[in-house]
């Protein structure tokens, strides 16, 4: 059975992107200090990636326009726009909860919720996220795309790991 994992950067005040949908603010407090690569360790257990169309567009046009960074992983892009599937990318209009319920039964390894506040919110509300890796960036944005909105559903978590470097705090929580 697959484990659903949200791994995402968030500002101190709870935003995953600024008002323009950009993530250029994701950095440590000092530009001359190295940041350890905790991402590669995380990705070692990932088998499947789920993202929204906005995240997909940002990856393919801004963050990594010349190189798909998730080669070797089965990726689902949730969108209502009809698109031609690619070898490792499936475009789907299914609801996040419906897709994740099926994948949890058929996949092994982690199912990474890569991006999209609406996807994370829908899965949190449906109680389908097993672990939350939140990378808290030392910035207060004030406005933008909030990671969690008023879902009406409390989710109790256990803190299982913390890592700090260059003003960044990585928090790993598991659902109780």
């Amino acid at each position: 059975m697959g484990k659903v994992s949200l791994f995402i950067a968030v500002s101190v005040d709870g935003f995953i992107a600024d008002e323009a949908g950009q993530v250029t603010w994701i950095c440590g407090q000092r530009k001359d200090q190295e940041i350890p690569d905790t991402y590669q360790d995380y990705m070692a257990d990932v088998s499947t990636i789920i993202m929204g169309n906005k995240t997909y567009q940002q990856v393919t046009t801004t963050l990594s326009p010349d190189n798909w960074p998730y080669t070797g992983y089965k990726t689902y892009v949730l969108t209502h726009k009809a698109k031609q599937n690619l070898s490792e990318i499936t475009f789907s209009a299914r609801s996040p909860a419906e897709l994740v319920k099926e994948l949890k039964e058929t996949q092994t390894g982690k199912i990474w919720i890569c991006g999209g506040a609406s996807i994370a919110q829908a899965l949190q509300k449906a109680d389908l996220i097993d672990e939350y890796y939140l990378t808290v960036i030392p910035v207060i944005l004030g406005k933008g795309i909030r990671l969690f909105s008023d879902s009406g559903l409390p989710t109790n978590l256990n803190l299982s790991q913390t890592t700090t470097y260059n003003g960044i705090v990585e928090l790993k929580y598991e659902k109780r």
Side-chain angles (χ1 to χ4, degrees):
M1 179 180 267
K3 181 180 262 191
V4 179
S5 179
L6 176 66
F7 182 90
I8 199 162
V10 61
S11 67
V12 170
D13 54 345
F15 295 99
I16 61 169
D18 63 22
E19 282 185 290
Q22 300 300 309
V23 294
T24 54
W25 50 271
I26 297 178
C27 61
Q29 62 193 12
R30 294 184 50 189
K31 295 192 187 303
D32 63 340
Q33 191 174 3
E34 272 193 55
I35 294 179
D37 187 2
T38 57
Y39 171 78
Q40 291 304 320
D41 290 338
Y42 174 81
M43 291 301 289
D45 296 327
V46 171
S47 62
T48 307
I49 300 170
I50 298 174
M51 68 179 67
N53 191 51
K54 288 180 188 173
T55 301
Y56 174 76
Q57 292 301 320
Q58 187 172 52
V59 168
T60 58
T61 62
T62 305
L63 301 176
S64 187
D66 300 322
N67 180 32
W68 178 244
Y70 307 120
T71 299
Y73 300 95
K74 179 63 180 167
T75 302
Y76 292 87
V77 177
L78 299 178
T79 179
H80 295 292
K81 298 176 183 177
K83 294 186 178 189
Q84 181 74 32
N85 290 337
L86 304 172
S87 63
E88 293 180 313
I89 303 171
T90 299
F91 296 94
S92 176
R94 296 172 71 185
S95 77
E98 181 182 307
L99 176 62
V100 165
K101 284 177 186 176
E102 178 183 307
L103 292 175
K104 278 185 84 154
E105 295 299 321
T106 61
Q107 301 292 307
T108 58
K110 283 187 186 174
I111 301 164
W112 174 28
I113 308 308
C114 173
S118 62
I119 293 170
Q121 291 167 14
L123 294 175
Q124 184 266 334
K125 188 173 185 177
D127 198 31
L128 289 171
I129 300 174
D130 299 306
E131 56 187 23
Y132 295 77
Y133 284 80
L134 304 177
T135 303
V136 182
I137 306 300
V139 64
I140 295 172
L141 293 177
K143 295 180 183 177
I145 299 171
R146 187 168 295 285
L147 177 55
F148 297 113
S149 64
D150 181 20
S151 70
L153 175 71
T155 300
N156 295 313
L157 306 172
N158 284 328
L159 180 65
S160 60
Q161 181 180 338
T162 61
T163 307
T164 62
Y165 50 87
N166 198 7
I168 295 170
V169 180
E170 289 188 358
L171 304 165
K172 178 185 176 188
Y173 291 99
E174 294 176 4
K175 184 172 63 172
R176 278 193 242 163

